[in-house]
Amino acid sequence: MVAVSTPPPHLLELVDGGAIAYILSYHDEVFRFYPIRPNPTVRHQPTHMKNRWILILGIASVAFIGAATLFITLHHGAKATGKPIHTRQAVHPTQATHVSPSTLIPPSDSSPVACTVTVTQYGASTRSANNAPAFQSAIDAGAGGTVCVPPGTWDFETQVIIYSAEVFTGAGTGKTTLMQTVADHNLLQVKGDSTIVQDLTLDTQTYNGGIPFASGASHVTLRNAHVLSGNQPGHFAVYFAGPSGATAAAPRYSTGNTIDNVAINDKICDDGLSWSFQQDGAIRNVSELGSRLALYIDSSTTVDNYSYTPGPCTQADNGFWITPPSENITITNFVSSGEGGKICPNLNGRPCTNITIDNERAKGVLAIGDVTNLIVRRTIVGNIYIFTNTGATGKWESSQPVSALCNHGSIHISGLQCVAR
């Protein structure tokens, strides 16, 4: 066995025919294999036993020692990883010394992946003040493959951009952190379609930087991530943008984008999660502490299982905000300890159409504006307001009970299905 001076932060047990190999990883080192092989110099000579009870006792002793050895090995593995080992993967003992240092990463929030490159191969280090050049080189080299970021906190002074489709993965939230250390500077931007960003923490909050994550591409997935942002004006925590030149009068869309299993903590006085000019997209399993979820002129978007807690900025604690002329929007299982949301309050002459709110729970107000074919069901909120056109400013009117909304004469309010509280 190869001796290790310090306990490895990640350890994966691989068993094959009695041989055991450990995969170790360090913050600033490539992944290495340390095989444990049977000693070929040791031979067990057969022993003639005349007494069959002595033979049985010997076999039982060997079985007991083997079981104890296996238990100690498994216990050692569980102790080193901080969790029990549930999965075993077969590997031949001779293969361990021939695996490239960049082929595997430690277990993460997602399934283990094969790495095309690791950022440390291009000079990235947790001791560096600015890892942006090294990360950019690794990202460019890993186009079409998988770029792996080992555990640790990686500082940045400038933004990095993913230009081509690839998987950009850390070792898990709370394990791999990308941190922008310059105020008002963004952190990570995606311009390549079909990119996946996963298993990491993106932090611009500590040094009050700019946008932690932005994408202007299609079929992009952000998953298993923790996003922290500061309070820079005009910035968002997570920003999915549409194509350049898209307007309310002539919308154009980015398509097929997904957010899944993401925690957001922002201090922004604007949109915490900005979902702008998106089509056929999905937002799932999000918890947010901060400013509102903004659905800005979207088409065919689903939001499911969203937990919202207002942040320090009271001007953007609306829960969610749908901007017209959004269409075919479904929000399910939205829970808010603040406001319930604003459905198309902007009276721009282009109403929202086909909006469904299902199973919402909110402490505050759900406000309804310029919308056609609205369904609200299984929903409990503090109150429901109707936004009516009273000139340039508009006016909020309280309506109780909820069933009164069915016959409300406000502009473009139609097809409303009401469920009494």
Side-chain angles (χ1 to χ4, degrees):
M1 178 186 299
V2 177
V4 181
S5 58
T6 58
H10 296 279
L11 180 148
L12 176 65
E13 185 195 36
L14 307 174
V15 180
D16 180 53
I20 301 173
Y22 293 105
I23 303 174
L24 307 181
S25 68
Y26 296 90
H27 288 188
D28 291 310
E29 296 185 11
V30 298
F31 305 110
R32 298 177 179 174
F33 283 74
Y34 294 87
I36 304 175
R37 298 194 179 116
N39 191 338
T41 62
V42 176
R43 297 181 179 273
H44 299 280
Q45 301 297 331
T47 303
H48 178 69
M49 297 182 182
K50 297 182 178 179
N51 192 318
R52 64 178 181 177
W53 296 109
I54 295 178
L55 176 60
I56 293 173
L57 181 62
I59 294 174
S61 300
V62 171
F64 175 81
I65 294 172
T69 302
L70 179 60
F71 172 81
I72 293 171
T73 302
L74 292 175
H75 180 71
H76 175 71
K79 184 177 181 181
T81 57
K83 57 185 179 181
I85 296 172
H86 299 291
T87 304
R88 296 186 179 186
Q89 178 180 347
V91 64
H92 195 276
T94 60
Q95 293 177 336
T97 56
H98 298 291
V99 178
S100 169
S102 62
T103 55
L104 290 174
I105 62 171
S108 61
D109 295 352
S110 300
S111 299
V113 296
C115 304
T116 306
V117 298
T118 60
V119 294
T120 51
Q121 291 175 296
Y122 291 83
S125 170
T126 55
R127 295 184 293 269
S128 173
N130 183 21
N131 280 289
F135 268 65
Q136 192 64 63
S137 296
I139 288 170
D140 295 344
T146 299
V147 177
C148 295
V149 186
T153 298
W154 309 84
D155 291 344
F156 294 80
E157 294 179 349
T158 55
Q159 178 180 241
V160 291
I161 301 175
I162 300 175
Y163 290 100
S164 302
E166 63 185 45
V167 177
F168 183 81
T169 184
T173 56
K175 299 176 184 178
T176 298
T177 299
L178 278 58
M179 182 176 293
Q180 178 56 258
T181 61
V182 179
D184 203 28
H185 279 49
N186 298 338
L187 182 54
L188 178 63
Q189 182 178 4
V190 175
K191 292 186 176 181
D193 292 346
S194 303
T195 291
I196 297 174
V197 176
Q198 66 181 19
D199 300 333
L200 42 67
T201 297
L202 302 172
D203 183 0
T204 65
Q205 187 177 98
T206 300
Y207 294 94
N208 200 23
I211 301 174
F213 178 89
S215 172
S218 292
H219 303 287
V220 172
T221 297
L222 173 65
R223 67 188 181 194
N224 304 332
H226 189 192
V227 181
L228 301 97
S229 69
N231 61 0
Q232 290 291 345
H235 290 326
F236 314 121
V238 176
Y239 182 29
F240 277 79
S244 176
T247 65
R252 300 168 56 205
Y253 302 103
S254 296
T255 61
N257 291 321
T258 301
I259 296 175
D260 192 8
N261 193 29
V262 174
I264 301 173
N265 184 319
D266 70 76
K267 298 180 179 179
I268 294 168
C269 232
D270 203 321
D271 302 334
L273 196 170
S274 181
W275 193 255
S276 177
F277 291 101
Q278 300 296 305
Q279 187 174 57
D280 298 325
I283 301 171
R284 299 188 294 263
N285 307 315
V286 173
S287 63
E288 181 182 6
L289 169 61
S291 295
R292 60 190 169 228
L293 161 65
L295 304 177
Y296 187 82
I297 311 180
D298 300 316
S299 175
S300 301
T301 287
T302 61
V303 178
D304 185 28
N305 197 25
Y306 200 109
S307 175
Y308 173 75
T309 303
C313 178
T314 57
Q315 292 136 338
D317 60 351
N318 313 110
F320 61 82
W321 186 301
I322 304 175
T323 300
S326 292
E327 61 182 8
N328 304 319
I329 307 296
T330 299
I331 298 178
T332 306
N333 303 319
F334 190 94
V335 178
S336 171
S337 59
E339 289 192 27
K342 284 183 167 61
I343 303 173
C344 310
N346 314 70
L347 300 180
N348 58 13
R350 301 180 181 89
C352 291
T353 57
N354 302 327
I355 308 297
T356 298
I357 310 298
D358 189 5
N359 197 33
E360 179 181 2
R361 298 293 183 271
K363 181 179 180 180
V365 171
L366 176 63
I368 301 173
D370 206 2
V371 56
T372 299
N373 298 328
L374 171 66
I375 298 174
V376 180
R377 60 188 174 215
R378 299 189 302 168
T379 289
I380 299 176
V381 295
N383 202 348
I384 291 185
Y385 285 2
I386 293 293
F387 194 72
T388 58
N389 188 7
T390 58
T393 57
K395 178 183 178 182
W396 289 110
E397 294 181 355
S398 176
S399 249
Q400 288 292 340
V402 175
S403 58
L405 297 177
C406 290
N407 299 314
H408 199 281
S410 170
I411 296 176
H412 295 299
I413 297 291
S414 64
L416 177 63
Q417 297 182 12
C418 299
V419 178
R421 294 177 60 191

